[in-house]
């Protein structure tokens, strides 16, 4: 709590500045659209996009799309985190696992997620399973890597201090390895929010009949740029809000993290 | 009390091997405050790590009260320069960690921690996390945590090296006052000659790597010593001697 005054003040200021920047951006957008240089079909003005949004909201499709997207994301994010933590604990613990399983995972994580979409559809069809699989894949790697690092990269001084104070092996885990690793897992999970949404978009663009990503692509096919923009802004906003929420939740659950990597 | 006999240690990471200690012998008596000084990278810290039981030497023996060291133990407390406090624990939790892992009852953990917090002047910071404290406050907590389990030996690895000059002076005074009230052995690694003179009964000067004992200098200055008095003529003799020893130990090393 101490010293939070200036930070809070600064945060307030940054909020004002941030909003101003966005306002300028919208005005610029409006200006470009109103100038009439470009076809309104290509760059619809903000008002047209807002109108499209109201339409989609009224017809219920916006909420339905959002629901299916969030459902897929939630499932993939959960699976990816669980799997990532399990694999990270294994490869973080055992050097042999790091050299074998770790090597395979390191190779696999270089695959562009979007290329997995067709493979997942071949194996699992165009249902939800294939989509969740792709999102799991996108979420898995940052969580795995960070968990492994959290376990393997504990500063030796922390371990030594605890041992000198009389900590047993189990106490060492409880007081040193676990909290240290938790910090890294949370970092990994936060990165995974971004990679997960990337995977979500990739998997909804082809072989989907609902979802925000589907809506964006479908609107492209119908040349409805306004609806396309609604879809893109929706997904962007959702990813942004989830990231912010994440930071808040973590700050509460992991109070000592206030000034650490989660800032910004 | 602490005895190292013909200790040799080679670090080998598979690519490169570095001989840190070579046939090193030294002894520290009960209640003594001994500083270890030497050129940077000479293996000063390694000596502490060996005594603490963090690493085992390839040859030679390390004993505490005649018992060979086989690993870390609660009879030897440690204070590091960096990564000392657990960042996920508050001031109180850090100090109470020793009593906690030694299964002291909860009331005792809190009582001991709060006593030490009062003694190091950090009342009001019980629930602060290390990153909310200044460097000097953090090292005070580190000291208190080491004292809280009342180890017979205190191993300190340049604990005040990253503090500003004024804070370092205060910390040294605090350490000496805490040490004088106890009968602990303190083994204090430093590269600061003035610090060594101000604190120690004896300074062990090491050679360049691999470390051997180059010379032991007894600092027979009256206590209590103060920063002002350490500028006296008596201290100046030791300062000159230690400086020339250290300089000739580190031939070829530019760093002072």
């Amino acid at each position: 709590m101490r010293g939070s005054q200036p930070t809070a003040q600064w945060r307030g200021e940054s909020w004002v500045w941030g909003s101003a920047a966005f306002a300028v951006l919208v005005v610029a957008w409006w200006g470009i659209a109103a100038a009439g240089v470009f076809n309104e079909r290509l760059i619809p003005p903000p008002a047209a996009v807002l109108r499209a949004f109201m339409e989609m909201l009224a017809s219920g499709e916006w909420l339905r799309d959002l629901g299916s997207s969030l459902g897929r994301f939630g499932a993939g994010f959960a699976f990816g985190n669980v799997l990532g933590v399990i694999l990270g604990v294994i490869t973080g613990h055992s050097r042999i696992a790091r050299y074998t399983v770790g090597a395979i995972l390191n190779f696999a994580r270089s695959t562009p997620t979007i290329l997995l979409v067709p493979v997942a559809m071949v194996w699992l069809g165009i249902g939800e399973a294939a989509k969740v699989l792709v999102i799991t894949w996108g979420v898995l790697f940052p969580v795995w890597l960070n968990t492994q690092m959290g376990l393997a990269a504990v500063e030796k001084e922390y371990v030594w201090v605890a041992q000198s104070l009389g900590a047993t092996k189990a106490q060492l885990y409880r007081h040193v390895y676990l909290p240290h690793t938790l910090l890294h897992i949370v970092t990994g999970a936060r990165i995974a929010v971004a990679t997960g949404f990337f995977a979500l978009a990739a998997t909804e663009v082809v072989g989907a009949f609902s979802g925000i990503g589907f809506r964006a692509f479908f609107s492209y096919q119908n040349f409805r740029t306004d609806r396309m923009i609604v879809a893109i802004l929706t997904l962007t906003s959702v990813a942004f809000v989830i990231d912010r929420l994440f930071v808040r939740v973590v700050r509460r659950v992991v109070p000592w993290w206030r000034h650490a990597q989660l800032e910004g | 009390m602490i005895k190292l006999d013909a200790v040799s240690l080679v670090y080998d990471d598979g690519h490169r091997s570095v001989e840190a200690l070579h046939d090193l012998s030294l002894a520290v008596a009960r209640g003594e405050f001994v500083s270890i000084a030497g050129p940077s990278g000479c293996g000063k810290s390694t000596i502490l790590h060996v005594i603490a039981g963090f690493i085992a030497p390839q040859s030679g023996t390390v004993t505490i009260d005649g018992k060979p060291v086989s690993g870390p133990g609660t009879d030897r407390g440690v204070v590091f320069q960096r990564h000392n406090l657990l960042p996920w624990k508050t001031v109180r939790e850090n100090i109470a960690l020793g009593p906690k892992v030694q299964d002291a009852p909860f009331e005792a953990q809190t009582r001991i921690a709060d006593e030490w917090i009062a003694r190091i002047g950090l009342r009001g910071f019980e629930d602060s996390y290390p990153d909310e404290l200044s460097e000097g406050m953090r090292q005070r907590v580190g000291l208190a945590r080491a004292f809280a389990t009342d180890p017979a030996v205190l191993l300190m690895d340049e604990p005040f090296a990253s503090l500003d000059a004024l804070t370092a002076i205060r910390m040294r005074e605090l350490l000496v006052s805490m040490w004088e009230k106890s009968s602990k052995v303190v083994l204090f690694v430093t590269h600061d000659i003035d610090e060594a003179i101000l604190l120690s009964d004896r300074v062990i000067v090491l050679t360049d790597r691999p470390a051997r004992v180059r010379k032991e200098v007894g600092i027979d200055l009256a206590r209590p010593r103060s920063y002002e008095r350490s500028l006296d003529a008596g201290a100046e003799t030791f300062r000159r001697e230690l400086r020339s020893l250290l300089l000739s130990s580190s031939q070829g090393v530019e760093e002072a």
Side-chain angles (χ1 to χ4, degrees):
Chain A
M1 302 303 141
R2 210 161 290 95
S4 69
Q5 207 84 10
T7 325
Q9 204 177 345
W10 191 86
R11 242 184 234 136
E13 255 174 53
S14 87
W15 190 83
V16 173
W17 282 102
S19 311
F22 273 99
V24 169
L25 193 68
V26 172
V27 169
W29 170 17
W30 174 81
I32 290 168
V37 183
F38 301 100
N39 188 324
E40 199 169 297
R41 285 248 168 191
L42 293 178
I43 302 187
V49 172
L50 191 65
R51 212 176 310 119
F53 173 59
M54 298 312 272
E55 267 172 39
M56 289 158 82
L57 200 59
S59 72
E61 64 185 321
W62 185 81
L63 213 60
R64 216 164 33 242
D65 285 335
L66 187 61
S68 18
S69 285
L70 284 181
R72 286 165 193 154
F73 177 79
F77 190 71
F79 284 136
N81 270 287
V82 171
L83 213 58
V85 169
I86 291 173
L87 287 168
V89 168
I90 293 171
T91 61
H93 237 296
S94 137
R95 200 180 294 226
I96 294 169
R98 190 146 64 242
Y99 292 158
T100 53
V101 181
I104 294 169
L105 286 170
N106 252 322
F107 177 74
R109 89 191 163 94
S110 306
T111 317
T113 313
I114 198 160
L115 286 183
L116 287 168
V117 175
V119 187
M121 289 199 301
V122 167
W123 288 341
L124 296 169
I126 53 167
E128 292 302 306
K131 294 172 182 59
V132 172
L133 176 73
V134 171
I135 298 163
T136 303
W137 181 276
V139 167
L140 168 67
F141 293 102
V143 177
W144 160 65
L145 263 183
N146 279 277
T147 307
Q148 171 185 299
M149 197 170 17
L151 269 178
V154 176
E155 280 79 6
K156 56 187 184 312
E157 285 91 345
Y158 295 152
V159 176
W160 285 349
V161 159
Q163 285 178 326
S164 294
L165 292 171
T168 61
K169 192 108 188 163
Q171 285 169 329
L172 214 54
Y173 269 90
R174 176 159 164 230
H175 295 292
V176 180
Y177 284 111
L178 209 68
H180 185 271
T181 306
L182 182 67
L183 184 115
H184 284 80
I185 292 174
V186 170
T187 307
R190 191 185 174 196
I191 299 169
V193 171
T195 56
F197 268 101
F198 186 83
L200 171 74
T203 187
E204 283 186 344
V205 164
V206 269
F209 303 102
S210 68
I212 301 289
F214 157 77
R215 193 58 58 196
F217 202 69
F218 186 71
S219 307
Y220 158 75
Q221 288 169 324
N222 296 318
F223 206 42
R224 286 291 304 267
T225 319
D226 51 350
R227 292 173 145 250
M228 212 162 90
I229 292 175
V230 170
I232 293 168
L233 285 181
T234 302
L235 213 54
T236 307
S237 310
V238 169
F240 179 77
V241 167
I242 288 184
D243 183 70
R244 296 283 99 180
L245 278 179
F246 196 89
V247 173
R248 279 198 182 195
V249 169
V250 169
R251 261 209 212 110
R252 180 146 306 182
V253 179
V254 194
W256 40 268
W257 206 357
R258 268 193 301 265
H259 312 286
Q261 294 96 312
L262 268 187
E263 293 297 331
Chain B
M1 160 137 211
I2 304 176
K3 208 161 178 314
L4 272 71
D5 197 23
V7 169
S8 296
L9 188 140
V10 178
Y11 287 111
D12 194 341
D13 64 356
H15 301 287
R16 218 162 65 97
S17 71
V18 177
E19 192 176 21
L21 308 177
H22 180 80
D23 205 15
L24 180 122
S25 300
L26 60 86
V28 181
R30 189 169 291 282
E32 230 185 341
F33 197 124
V34 175
S35 287
I36 299 177
S40 44
C42 77
K44 299 187 290 279
S45 303
T46 306
I47 296 178
L48 286 199
H49 295 167
V50 163
I51 297 171
F54 301 146
I55 39 179
Q58 275 89 4
S59 66
T61 54
V62 184
T63 55
I64 309 272
D65 282 333
K67 286 193 289 280
V69 166
S70 61
T74 53
D75 55 336
R76 287 150 289 151
V78 290
V79 181
F80 298 115
Q81 183 190 341
R82 293 171 59 241
H83 304 307
N84 196 29
L85 302 184
L86 301 176
W88 43 86
K89 291 190 181 292
T90 62
V91 167
R92 186 187 276 128
E93 288 166 346
N94 261 288
I95 299 178
L97 184 61
K100 189 184 177 80
V101 296
Q102 292 176 28
D103 295 323
F106 183 74
E107 306 80 51
Q109 293 171 24
T110 315
R111 183 174 44 75
I112 292 171
D114 286 352
E115 273 170 26
W116 279 104
I117 288 167
R119 224 167 290 176
I120 58 173
L122 282 185
R123 267 212 191 113
F125 292 89
E126 289 87 351
D127 300 317
S128 299
Y129 286 92
D131 70 313
E132 297 173 293
L133 305 177
S134 70
E135 192 73 38
M137 289 156 110
R138 280 202 283 268
Q139 288 309 71
R140 269 188 271 169
V141 176
L143 268 187
R145 185 180 58 189
F147 271 87
T149 51
D150 198 23
V153 178
L154 208 57
L155 304 168
M156 308 184 76
D157 193 355
E158 305 200 37
F160 310 142
S162 53
L163 303 181
D164 66 86
L166 194 67
T167 311
I169 291 171
R170 295 252 163 76
M171 290 296 296
R172 286 177 202 130
E173 285 169 0
L174 178 71
L175 171 62
V176 169
S177 75
M178 283 160 78
W179 166 70
E180 279 173 342
K181 277 179 228 140
S182 70
S183 56
K184 292 186 198 316
V185 173
V186 178
L187 212 58
F188 191 98
V189 164
T190 182
H191 61 259
D192 183 331
I193 293 172
D194 291 328
E195 182 172 57
I197 293 172
L198 188 71
L199 295 174
S200 325
D201 297 323
R202 191 151 56 95
V203 181
I204 298 176
V205 181
L206 301 177
T207 63
D208 212 345
R209 201 177 55 221
R212 275 158 293 128
V213 175
R214 184 182 162 91
K215 194 169 183 208
E216 301 190 12
V217 180
I219 310 290
D220 44 7
L221 293 172
R223 291 181 191 271
R225 300 172 192 163
S226 67
Y227 180 71
E228 293 77 37
R229 214 181 298 165
S230 72
L231 302 172
D232 286 356
E236 186 54 36
T237 324
F238 293 117
R239 188 173 296 125
R240 212 171 291 139
E241 183 179 6
L242 288 173
R243 191 178 297 139
S244 74
L245 278 171
L246 280 171
L247 281 175
S248 58
S249 282
S250 60
Q251 337 115 334
V253 181
E254 307 89 310
E255 231 179 334

